[in-house]
Amino acid sequence: MQSQSASPTNVIVAQGINKIFNPGADEEIFALKDINLEVKSGEFVSLIGPSGCGKSTLLRLIAELITPTSGDLKVNGKDPHAARIDQDYGMVFQAATLYDWRTVSKNVQLPLEIMGYSTQERKARAQEMLEMVELGRFGNHYPWQLSGGMQQRVSIARALAFSPSLLLMDEPFGALDEFTRERMNLELLRIWDTTKITVVFVTHSIAEAVFLSTRVVVMSPRPGRITREIAIDLPYPRNFETRELPRYFALLTEVRELLREAHEI
Amino acid sequence: MKTPFFKAVLSIVRKDLRTELRSRELISSMGLFALLSILVFSFALELDRIARQEAISGVLWVTVVFASFLGLNRSLAMERDQGNLDAMLIAPIARTTIFFGKLVGNFLFTITVGLLLLPIMTVLYNVSLVQPLVLAVLFMGTFGFTTVGTLLATMTVQTRARENLLPIVMMPLALPLLLAAVKASTNLLTDSATEDWVAWVQILAMVDVVYLVMCYLLFEYVIEE
């Protein structure tokens, strides 16, 4: 079970973040407005909201894929640029983005290769990561020989290969069927429990957000604002039975209500 | 820890070359277009020797430029569609290494097509194009064109009409470069060659440097917005 330290440190601190695309132009888009968010070490925080509310934009700001128009954002106490250079985070996208010509093991080794690890270290670490996502036997396979769920597990292994303290996940299971998605949710919880990593997870699915998270952050439609945060007090370890608990259904209803309220703001 | 600049550039170039070696997507489409193009021109322009000498540099540059549009669009579209662009952006590298990596890759593909065209055009048009100075102009012109093309393709690839948009935004910007390249090669290939080619080559070199610096400075802004 995931254990929280006595005084967890803040991995992400966002204060007064605004993001405007094409500022001053006719087609100006106010994507995010006055975002204040703190994510503590070891938390699993899900961002949920309707399409276009800016959840992915917020994740991309944290990853320094884009820069905020105004506000202060810190990742591990550093600005996002320093955090990127220090490889403080790994990122998993909706598509697995694996190189077809590299074996599964070599795909996992890629970030380590960029960082200058020796061949032996890379191989050992990739194998360790593949064992963790239960794909230890598939190191010599190519991505096209794996199912969608397995490919996504490889991309999680790759994101964790260099031991980042933060994992950013942008709708990673959005393209999977419902059954595979539920299995992947369990896998992810197991990996989270093993690694004690902090996770920020973007999803459209209320069920997924409630099942996975320690906290769900609800966002309003554009301009995206954080309207409410709800602590998820479901017991650990979470499994298929968790989805049948009355508390689980109560939380689903609560998040759904909050989303409806956010829509009306 | 930031990956050293040249190592990161080299990694991106190697990735592009490997992808191309396996798929042959860019070279085959660019090469086929270029070959068809010069064949059509050779059938259409039944010219005497002097007229051929004057027209051939135009044919060469029209072919190289339109072939490079195909390559530039595909090269950046693949990065975006396969999620590679985001993967490179979160890597611990300076963002400008992505620009230089893509630039070198795009340049190598376009210059390969250009170099293949020279002997074929020499046979088809009976004008010797395989000359050191013509090669130098081809290298300089292609370099400048792929420099500005890499930056603009990074922008247009984010739009829905990317295939159509790239030539529209690129042509006005690339005009000084094309003018210098066409004038320099025409002057080198005609019998009445004057020393004018030196001035055009100097202009070409200057435009190359200006575009390289401008694109280098603008790339980070373009990729983030």
Side-chain angles (χ1 to χ4, degrees):
Chain A
M1 192 172 86
Q2 181 80 6
S3 58
Q4 307 282 322
S5 62
S7 56
T9 52
N10 282 327
V11 176
I12 298 170
V13 179
Q15 289 175 322
I17 295 290
N18 292 300
K19 178 64 188 176
I20 305 168
F21 291 106
N22 305 317
D26 289 344
E27 58 273 26
E28 177 180 289
I29 297 168
F30 212 132
L32 290 173
K33 191 175 183 185
D34 196 26
I35 298 290
N36 294 293
L37 177 70
E38 282 184 9
V39 177
K40 293 191 176 1
S41 171
E43 269 195 295
F44 195 123
V45 174
S46 287
L47 305 177
I48 191 164
S51 287
C53 75
K55 358 182 241 304
S56 291
T57 303
L58 181 53
L59 205 72
R60 293 173 76 82
L61 284 170
I62 297 166
E64 211 224 346
L65 285 167
I66 49 175
T67 49
T69 308
S70 61
D72 189 41
L73 180 61
K74 293 275 185 269
V75 179
N76 280 341
K78 296 171 261 189
D79 65 64
H81 176 75
R84 175 172 68 86
I85 297 301
D86 292 346
Q87 295 210 288
D88 284 358
Y89 58 84
M91 194 160 183
V92 178
F93 301 95
Q94 187 171 0
T97 63
L98 303 172
Y99 287 123
D100 279 342
W101 71 86
R102 292 177 80 111
T103 62
V104 164
S105 173
K106 286 227 166 175
N107 265 289
V108 177
Q109 289 176 41
L110 186 66
L112 307 174
E113 215 172 298
I114 295 170
M115 293 168 82
Y117 279 61
S118 72
T119 312
Q120 212 168 5
E121 277 176 309
R122 285 200 317 251
K123 278 186 182 167
R125 182 69 182 155
Q127 189 55 34
E128 192 186 329
M129 289 295 105
L130 287 172
E131 302 277 352
M132 190 184 67
V133 297
E134 296 182 340
L135 290 174
R137 292 184 299 113
F138 293 89
N140 291 324
H141 284 61
Y142 285 89
W144 48 269
Q145 295 174 305
L146 306 181
S147 68
M150 288 160 97
Q151 287 185 12
Q152 203 53 285
R153 272 146 73 190
V154 176
S155 83
I156 293 171
R158 182 183 57 189
L160 296 175
F162 51 92
S163 308
S165 59
L166 172 65
L167 184 61
L168 304 172
M169 306 185 87
D170 192 359
E171 296 185 50
F173 311 137
L176 304 179
D177 64 81
E178 197 57 29
F179 180 70
T180 312
R181 192 172 180 148
E182 285 190 5
R183 271 196 331 118
M184 288 300 295
N185 285 171
L186 286 172
E187 276 289 310
L188 181 58
L189 278 181
R190 192 182 53 75
I191 292 164
W192 177 62
D193 190 36
T194 311
T195 57
K196 315 292 181 208
I197 195 170
T198 310
V199 181
V200 180
F201 190 91
V202 166
T203 181
H204 278 117
S205 162
I206 298 172
E208 191 170 61
V210 168
F211 181 73
L212 289 173
S213 316
T214 55
R215 186 157 50 107
V216 173
V217 174
V218 180
M219 293 181 71
S220 70
R222 196 179 292 156
R225 282 157 297 170
I226 293 174
T227 51
R228 287 287 291 274
E229 292 181 27
I230 176 167
I232 305 296
D233 52 4
L234 291 170
Y236 290 95
R238 292 177 189 173
N239 47 36
F240 281 116
E241 284 75 50
T242 308
R243 294 183 196 270
E244 283 155 23
L245 294 173
R247 182 63 188 145
Y248 174 72
F249 288 109
L251 285 164
L252 287 184
T253 309
E254 199 175 338
V255 174
R256 191 172 294 119
E257 286 298 318
L258 290 173
L259 274 168
R260 194 175 301 147
E261 277 173 32
H263 217 283
E264 286 161 6
I265 286 174
Chain B
M1 189 188 69
K2 196 187 276 190
T3 309
F5 187 87
F6 288 108
K7 191 180 171 195
V9 172
L10 202 66
S11 299
I12 294 168
V13 176
R14 268 175 35 206
K15 171 188 77 65
D16 279 1
L17 293 179
R18 276 192 175 189
T19 313
E20 186 53 29
L21 274 175
R22 277 162 178 80
S23 69
R24 295 187 179 87
E25 204 176 323
L26 296 180
I27 289 286
S28 60
S29 60
M30 289 165 78
L32 205 63
F33 168 82
L35 195 64
L36 279 172
S37 178
I38 55 165
L39 278 172
V40 170
F41 276 121
S42 80
F43 297 144
L45 304 173
E46 287 188 11
L47 307 167
D48 58 36
R49 193 175 56 85
I50 294 170
R52 274 202 311 269
Q53 282 176 339
E54 285 172 350
I56 197 165
S57 69
V59 173
L60 174 69
W61 283 106
V62 164
T63 308
V64 169
V65 162
F66 280 92
S68 79
F69 282 143
L70 286 177
L72 287 164
N73 260 325
R74 278 307 304 150
S75 158
L76 270 300
M78 281 194 301
E79 295 292 7
R80 186 173 159 78
D81 296 346
Q82 294 168 359
N84 282 340
L85 202 54
D86 281 344
M88 286 193 286
L89 287 171
I90 59 169
I93 53 175
R95 296 263 158 92
T96 46
T97 56
I98 301 171
F99 170 71
F100 282 105
K102 293 305 296 177
L103 164 61
V104 173
N106 290 335
F107 172 73
L108 289 176
F109 298 139
T110 313
I111 200 68
T112 305
V113 173
L115 290 175
L116 287 172
L117 283 180
L118 294 186
I120 300 171
M121 286 178 77
T122 301
V123 174
L124 283 176
Y125 294 86
N126 199 20
V127 176
S128 174
L129 286 166
V130 189
Q131 303 174 26
L133 284 172
V134 175
L135 281 173
V137 171
L138 182 68
F139 269 83
M140 289 164 76
T142 306
F143 181 77
F145 200 77
T146 43
T147 301
V148 71
T150 302
L151 180 82
L152 293 177
T154 311
M155 286 164 72
T156 57
V157 81
Q158 322 274 353
T159 65
R160 242 171 286 165
R162 56 196 182 196
E163 273 82 12
N164 304 329
L165 204 58
L166 181 64
I168 295 168
V169 295
M170 195 163 158
M171 284 312 274
L173 278 171
L175 209 57
L177 194 128
L178 280 177
L179 182 71
V182 172
K183 284 286 185 188
S185 36
T186 306
N187 273 295
L188 283 166
L189 291 169
T190 47
D191 282 344
S192 55
T194 60
E195 288 302 304
D196 281 355
W197 68 267
V198 179
W200 285 113
V201 167
Q202 284 170 340
I203 293 171
L204 189 56
M206 197 181 70
V207 176
D208 273 2
V209 173
V210 170
Y211 278 0
L212 186 64
V213 173
M214 291 297 291
C215 293
Y216 165 74
L217 294 174
L218 287 170
F219 185 77
E220 204 154 343
Y221 175 77
V222 164
I223 202 86
E224 282 174 8
E225 291 300 318

